[in-house]
Amino acid sequence: MTQARQHHIQVVAHRGASEDAPEHTLAAYMKAIEDGADALECDVRLTADGHLVCVHDRRVNRTSNGRGAVSALELADLAALDFGTWKGREDSAESPDWGDPSLTSVLTLERLLELVADSGRRIELAIETKHPTRWAGQVEERLLRLLGRFGLAAPATAAESSVRVMSFSARSLHRIAAAAPTVPTVYLMQFVTPRTRDGRLPAGARIAGPGIRIVRNHPGYIARLHQAGHQVHVWTVNEPEDVELCARLGVEAIITNRPRQVLSQLGRG
């Protein structure tokens, strides 16, 4: 892939190495680090007692053996659930064995930050705030407070930051930009709207985060985003032909469930 080697494309593990291990678990993120991912992507939600946990859905029904909204459950409630055995059920009548239960229990953002800090190499974090939420601005407030404890909330410049905050909510990104101006922000997009068609992003957003469908259907849009001065981080890129397309268009980051395969395709395996 000669196009891919013309510039460095960051490979971001979407919910960890989530094709191989249950999403948003310690097992998935440890696998992503082992695979050589440049960055780890996670979604965060706030529990009823104020802890940030890595869970994508509003409810835990799909990815655990429990039921209920994350925002209505306390951390202890979530810690009692199994977030691992759902993975692979569609392929086998038996529940898969992921070994140590701590590898597939609910993952707090604090524990993920500790994992990255102990990794021994630079690994960036792409943290997505989920909206709408009953907690309004408390998610962003708690997030920045936690990042501050790890020395990550006030990088000297955006280029030096090892953390970025992503959201489909322009309001969420505006809150982050106002409170932590040097933390990079990514505006996630499912569609190209009249407001963003010319490459402009909402106030507070610095990086464009289009879905792969946008890239497939409107490849010229990537050039407009670049001309407007924005980096482009594309989600969720799993198929080889999509990796090739992103490389050809010069995107800066690929968010994927398959970090090992994408790294290999980019000549870094």
Side-chain angles (χ1 to χ4, degrees):
M1 180 183 291
T2 56
Q3 296 95 337
R5 296 190 178 121
Q6 291 175 1
H7 72 289
H8 178 80
I9 302 174
Q10 187 181 68
V11 176
V12 185
H14 182 244
R15 309 178 195 174
S18 55
E19 180 169 88
D20 297 323
E23 67 182 61
H24 285 128
T25 62
L26 202 57
Y29 289 108
M30 290 174 68
K31 181 66 167 62
I33 292 172
E34 178 186 325
D35 288 346
D38 301 307
L40 309 176
E41 184 271 351
C42 69
D43 305 289
V44 293
R45 291 185 179 275
L46 197 61
T47 66
D49 53 342
H51 293 273
L52 286 168
V53 292
C54 301
V55 180
H56 176 272
D57 299 359
R58 188 178 70 85
R59 301 176 65 84
V60 300
N61 303 31
R62 177 179 65 88
T63 57
S64 83
N65 60 346
R67 301 184 65 82
V70 175
S71 61
L73 298 169
E74 296 189 351
L75 182 59
D77 302 321
L78 293 166
L81 301 179
D82 168 21
F83 280 81
T85 54
W86 67 272
K87 178 74 171 175
R89 280 178 184 159
E90 65 276 10
D91 301 322
S92 172
E94 299 181 4
S95 295
D97 180 11
W98 294 102
D100 185 347
S102 68
L103 295 178
T104 53
S105 63
V106 69
L107 180 64
T108 64
L109 179 60
E110 180 176 12
R111 180 67 187 93
L112 181 57
L113 287 166
E114 290 172 348
L115 177 69
V116 170
D118 293 340
S119 68
R121 66 179 177 90
R122 179 183 171 90
I123 301 173
E124 297 190 10
L125 268 177
I127 303 171
E128 180 183 343
T129 61
K130 305 301 291 184
H131 293 82
T133 173
R134 66 189 293 183
W135 300 118
Q138 291 185 50
V139 171
E140 292 79 15
E141 180 183 339
R142 301 272 181 142
L143 172 56
L144 290 175
R145 190 184 308 167
L146 181 58
L147 293 179
R149 284 176 45 199
F150 284 81
L152 300 172
T157 66
E160 295 178 37
S161 179
S162 60
V163 172
R164 56 186 176 266
V165 178
M166 310 193 300
S167 187
F168 287 96
S169 167
R171 181 173 296 181
S172 175
L173 298 181
H174 188 270
R175 292 188 188 113
I176 294 293
T182 54
V183 171
T185 49
V186 184
Y187 183 58
L188 299 172
M189 296 176 281
Q190 287 183 302
F191 311 100
V192 179
T193 66
R195 184 174 296 181
T196 60
R197 189 174 296 150
D198 62 357
R200 285 181 296 178
L201 299 179
R206 300 178 178 177
I207 299 169
I212 186 60
R213 289 184 181 179
I214 292 177
V215 180
R216 290 179 194 143
N217 297 331
H218 308 282
Y221 182 54
I222 307 307
R224 289 198 294 276
L225 288 167
H226 281 147
Q227 288 165 5
H230 305 303
Q231 289 189 20
V232 179
H233 297 187
V234 184
W235 57 275
T236 303
V237 185
N238 293 321
E239 301 305 323
E241 58 270 27
D242 289 332
V243 174
E244 177 69 41
L245 174 61
C246 287
R248 189 166 64 249
L249 295 174
V251 309
E252 283 73 24
I254 287 175
I255 303 171
T256 178
N257 298 336
R258 306 170 176 175
R260 181 172 58 84
Q261 292 91 324
V262 172
L263 284 164
S264 177
Q265 186 175 349
L266 295 177
R268 297 173 54 202

